[in-house]
Amino acid sequence: MAKLYFYYASMNAGKSTTMLQADFNYRERGMATMLWTAELDTRSSGMVRSRIGLEAGAHLYSPDTDLWNEVQAAHNSRPLDCVLVDEAQFLTKPQVWQLARLADEAGIPVLCYGIRTDFQGELFPGSAALLGIADTLVELKAVCHCGRKASMNLRVDAEGKPIKQGEQTEIGGNDRYLALCRKHFSEALAR
């Protein structure tokens, strides 16, 4: 039976690297995969890129993308053995249910990778839906500067000072975000 998986973590935990490794494992065995990433992340449009230099082409999804129809059309042309979704925090709740349907009705395993919470400690909509309905939840580990597990994402300005307010989504990497443990995240925001 196919399952819906959610691999989640703070930034810099190796989510994209883990996804690309899973994709490689399927393809190495002659199996067909389909990769997706968020159109919103303009840093590497049409590519899944890891910080350690691995990359692969991917289909882009936006909030309007019907993942059920798009994947089913590809699956009808060439049967898919796995669908992998990067930046899954940007999925809409209906898209998460479409991915669950792919696992349940089409029998295609779906592996989603994303950030659990934003820079204020709030769940992203896609992450909330995945945490609620995924068959398997896997937390990947990042490390805070103190050595503890980093579970939070602190947004910083150009001088490295914490940002407390703003839009939930602001695309950026190490220049805009720090992965911290909850203690150091709270201290940085003076909670």
Side-chain angles (χ1 to χ4, degrees):
M1 179 175 106
K3 293 183 179 181
L4 174 62
Y5 297 83
F6 183 36
Y7 296 85
Y8 65 92
S10 65
M11 295 187 69
N12 301 329
K15 294 176 299 298
S16 297
T17 301
T18 302
M19 178 181 150
L20 291 169
Q21 181 64 52
D23 177 60
F24 177 81
N25 290 344
Y26 274 95
R27 289 184 298 102
E28 185 179 44
R29 287 158 184 82
M31 301 170 113
T33 62
M34 187 175 201
L35 277 62
W36 289 88
T37 192
E39 183 177 76
L40 181 65
D41 187 350
T42 56
R43 292 173 297 168
S44 52
S45 188
M47 299 291 288
V48 173
R49 288 196 171 108
S50 70
R51 290 178 300 119
I52 64 170
L54 302 175
E55 64 182 28
H59 298 267
L60 295 174
Y61 71 84
S62 70
D64 298 326
T65 304
D66 185 324
L67 293 169
W68 167 261
N69 286 333
E70 295 287 330
V71 173
Q72 276 294 96
H75 186 59
N76 291 337
S77 294
R78 179 177 182 215
L80 294 169
D81 296 293
C82 186
V83 171
L84 301 102
V85 181
D86 198 27
E87 304 294 351
Q89 70 271 13
F90 299 133
L91 292 166
T92 64
K93 186 175 182 179
Q95 287 172 325
V96 171
W97 280 100
Q98 291 166 12
L99 295 173
R101 188 175 171 206
L102 286 167
D104 297 342
E105 296 178 28
I108 305 168
V110 178
L111 285 61
C112 297
Y113 298 80
I115 297 170
R116 183 179 58 161
T117 59
D118 66 15
F119 75 107
Q120 294 177 322
E122 300 294 327
L123 290 171
F124 281 98
S127 300
L130 284 161
L131 287 167
I133 70 167
D135 298 298
T136 301
L137 301 172
V138 179
E139 184 177 22
L140 302 174
K141 307 294 190 285
V143 180
C144 180
H145 61 80
C146 70
R148 294 188 351 203
K149 178 181 81 171
S151 58
M152 310 300 289
N153 302 299
L154 180 71
R155 186 182 291 168
V156 295
D157 64 18
E159 288 88 43
K161 294 186 170 120
I163 296 176
K164 297 180 182 182
Q165 296 186 8
E167 295 294 319
Q168 183 176 44
T169 301
E170 184 176 307
I171 302 302
N174 292 344
D175 60 325
R176 299 291 296 148
Y177 294 93
L178 298 174
L180 298 175
C181 66
R182 186 180 56 237
K183 176 181 184 284
H184 287 112
F185 175 83
S186 295
E187 288 174 0
L189 295 179
R191 291 189 175 202

